[in-house]
Amino acid sequence: DCLESNMEYKLHELYEVSNGLSKSKEYFGTGFPFLTYSTVFNNYFIPMEIVDLVQSNEKEQKSYSIKQGDVFITRTSETTNELGMSCVALKDYSFATYNGFCKRLRPITNLTYPLYMGYYFRTAIFRSNFIKIASLITRASLRNEDLLNFKVELPSIEYQKKIANILYQYDKLIENNNKRIKILEQMAEELYKEWFVRFRYPGYRNDSFVGDIPARWKISRIKEIGKIITGKTPSTKNESYYGEYCMFVKTPDMHGNTFVISTSENLSLEGSNNQKKCLLEPNSIMVSCIGTGGVVAINKKMAHTNQQINSIVLKNIDHLYWAYFTVKSLKETIEMYGNTGTTMTNLSKGKFEKIKIVNPNDELKCLFQSEVQPLMDELYNLLERNENLINQRDLLLPRLMSGKLEVK
């Protein structure tokens, strides 16, 4: 029996803990690979390539290095269920460093199999450790001594490998789907740039220009293409506001997602009715404007968002994908408008709705919609498949970990 062979350890017997790299805003965007809070939050395992960058020196790269087997854990959060999310490195990452809002657990024994630990640290069993001390940490920070005193139960390395390899089959399918999703979005975005940035749209040779744009186009403000709604967080003291009626979107739910189809928290009917004016119709465009600015995603179902997100409920749904890629291209503008001298973007609804955009004629926007619709439909179907695979994996995970399912 798996349970009989499990051994109990405290984390300090298996890992040493270190804090991450903290730098001001101007150091980010160029330089060397940088593991962000959102990457840790959204992934069981660090992606093969770390795309975010920071200007780091040799000393920092040595102190905050990322090696195979390292576990990264978010050390601070606004809500309990977002605290202590983990992500494991399955290889060494040259010149890479990691975020100061995370802690690194580096193995000091040969008792842990990295692939297994990536799943174990995400189980309800392990995460219950954070729930017990959450009141001390929410909006504060997880202390090293608290983390290192957490208990874990591990089977033998051989058994860890067997369990991990079963679960990893799901993740390989998810990874392959993610590659296809990325290609599909790139294809749609490239067509957007060809038509609306390079101005090589159907019939462009017959159009005249006024200034820098075609004669039938105009300069508009964001509020002219739809109603702007700023989200709101229902009182967390009222548990009846939270349930399974509709999605409650926060910026981490949007990262890396063209469409948000599931969220870490959902509202009840009562919670939704409590803020009816903030309810988003399907196919609204959500834009993070506080904290990490310029993250954009579409909701395919009814949704609410928190106050860090401004959303556009479009006047014409046939302009959806033109509007999505247009707003996505505004990331630098949003960060610039929202920069109040701090390291965090803080863009109010009033400033957001006044941002200027190049607004083509309606016929061209509708034609673009029809051209990219098949790509975006396939992309959405792949996201749904991934959601099903994740649910299947997460149902299987605790049964394998507890020994309720026999592994041969």
Side-chain angles (χ1 to χ4, degrees):
D1 191 300
C2 172
L3 286 175
E4 291 178 358
S5 62
N6 279 4
M7 293 287 291
E8 185 176 277
Y9 304 92
K10 287 193 174 181
L11 280 183
H12 69 78
E13 298 176 84
L14 304 171
Y15 296 94
E16 60 183 15
V17 65
S18 300
N19 295 326
L21 175 65
S22 296
K23 285 202 165 191
S24 54
K25 190 172 183 178
E26 64 268 20
Y27 288 96
F28 294 94
T30 59
F32 297 96
F34 182 70
L35 181 65
T36 63
Y37 180 100
S38 61
T39 299
V40 172
F41 185 94
N42 288 300
N43 295 277
Y44 279 47
F45 306 101
I46 300 175
M48 292 303 291
E49 181 186 1
I50 299 175
V51 296
D52 296 285
L53 301 173
V54 68
Q55 296 172 35
S56 57
N57 57 42
E58 189 175 343
K59 182 180 178 182
E60 290 167 336
Q61 290 164 15
K62 185 176 181 181
S63 297
Y64 307 107
S65 60
I66 300 177
K67 304 291 184 184
Q68 183 180 26
D70 286 350
V71 182
F72 297 89
I73 294 181
T74 58
R75 65 170 177 81
T76 184
S77 175
E78 290 189 4
T79 59
T80 301
N81 66 339
E82 292 179 1
L83 180 67
M85 298 297 278
S86 59
C87 185
V88 174
L90 298 180
K91 65 170 190 172
D92 293 355
Y93 290 82
S94 301
F95 311 112
T97 56
Y98 63 98
N99 189 280
F101 290 106
C102 301
K103 291 183 180 292
R104 182 189 68 199
L105 293 174
R106 175 155 288 174
I108 55 174
T109 73
N110 58 358
L111 298 171
T112 57
Y113 182 55
L115 199 59
Y116 178 89
M117 300 312 294
Y119 296 112
Y120 181 84
F121 280 119
R122 289 270 184 156
T123 60
I125 296 170
F126 179 74
R127 287 184 48 71
S128 65
N129 286 296
F130 295 101
I131 307 301
K132 293 171 187 173
I133 61 170
S135 61
L136 303 174
I137 301 168
T138 303
R139 296 184 181 275
S141 183
L142 176 64
R143 299 186 308 171
N144 290 352
E145 54 265 39
D146 290 330
L147 180 60
L148 290 174
N149 276 320
F150 286 174
K151 293 178 181 178
V152 296
E153 287 190 5
L154 299 179
S156 67
I157 281 287
E158 291 72 23
Y159 210 88
Q160 288 181 43
K161 289 180 179 178
K162 288 179 180 179
I163 291 175
N165 289 337
I166 291 171
L167 294 168
Y168 197 52
Q169 299 308 309
Y170 289 88
D171 281 285
K172 285 198 286 189
L173 290 171
I174 292 166
E175 184 181 357
N176 287 335
N177 286 343
N178 282 336
K179 288 177 182 176
R180 293 172 61 192
I181 287 167
K182 187 175 181 180
I183 291 169
L184 289 165
E185 173 137 5
Q186 286 174 342
M187 289 170 65
E189 190 164 13
E190 183 57 30
L191 186 64
Y192 170 85
K193 289 176 179 176
E194 185 73 359
W195 287 22
F196 302 112
V197 178
R198 304 183 193 107
F199 303 132
R200 294 180 189 146
Y201 51 85
Y204 75 94
R205 286 190 175 91
N206 299 322
D207 280 1
S208 59
F209 276 66
V210 176
D212 294 329
I213 63 174
R216 292 195 295 155
W217 296 24
K218 60 184 179 180
I219 302 296
S220 301
R221 297 187 185 275
I222 283 181
K223 64 181 179 181
E224 295 176 52
I225 66 171
K227 181 182 178 183
I228 310 301
I229 294 177
T230 302
K232 182 181 178 183
T233 300
S235 172
T236 54
K237 294 178 182 178
N238 192 333
E239 293 182 4
S240 65
Y241 285 168
Y242 293 84
E244 297 300 326
Y245 175 68
C246 74
M247 298 189 300
F248 182 58
V249 182
K250 290 164 282 189
T251 303
D253 300 314
M254 297 163 59
H255 277 288
N257 292 318
T258 307
F259 302 99
V260 175
I261 57 175
S262 67
T263 48
S264 61
E265 280 191 305
N266 298 287
L267 299 188
S268 65
L269 177 59
E270 183 182 351
S272 177
N273 287 338
N274 183 255
Q275 45 193 49
K276 282 184 179 180
K277 292 180 180 179
C278 299
L279 181 63
L280 298 179
E281 299 172 9
N283 295 313
S284 300
I285 299 171
M286 303 173 290
V287 190
S288 64
C289 291
I290 297 176
T292 305
V295 181
V296 185
I298 300 166
N299 64 307
K300 293 296 281 186
K301 309 169 189 172
M302 284 193 312
H304 286 271
T305 74
N306 69 5
Q307 61 276 11
Q308 296 182 330
I309 297 168
N310 287 313
S311 300
I312 309 167
V313 181
L314 294 171
K315 292 178 180 177
N316 191 333
I317 200 65
D318 291 331
H319 301 168
L320 174 63
Y321 296 128
W322 163 79
Y324 167 74
F325 286 112
T326 295
V327 176
K328 195 178 175 189
S329 72
L330 296 173
K331 182 171 176 60
E332 287 186 9
T333 303
I334 289 169
E335 289 177 335
M336 180 186 70
Y337 269 68
N339 190 349
T340 57
T342 68
T343 57
M344 303 277 278
T345 298
N346 192 345
L347 182 64
S348 67
K349 175 184 175 182
K351 288 182 180 178
F352 175 72
E353 62 185 11
K354 290 177 183 175
I355 292 177
K356 292 180 179 179
I357 55 173
V358 177
N359 194 351
N361 52 296
D362 287 354
E363 299 91 332
L364 191 59
K365 288 184 282 190
C366 290
L367 182 59
F368 178 75
Q369 181 86 1
S370 63
E371 288 288 322
V372 302
Q373 187 80 53
L375 298 175
M376 303 306 272
D377 286 348
E378 186 178 351
L379 189 157
Y380 182 75
N381 289 336
L382 287 168
L383 280 172
E384 284 201 313
R385 279 186 219 169
N386 276 358
E387 187 70 14
N388 289 332
L389 286 167
I390 289 167
N391 288 337
Q392 290 170 31
R393 180 199 65 195
D394 290 352
L395 285 171
L396 191 59
L397 194 156
R399 300 185 70 194
L400 288 170
M401 294 279 178
S402 65
K404 289 180 181 177
L405 277 182
E406 185 180 357
V407 179
K408 297 180 180 179

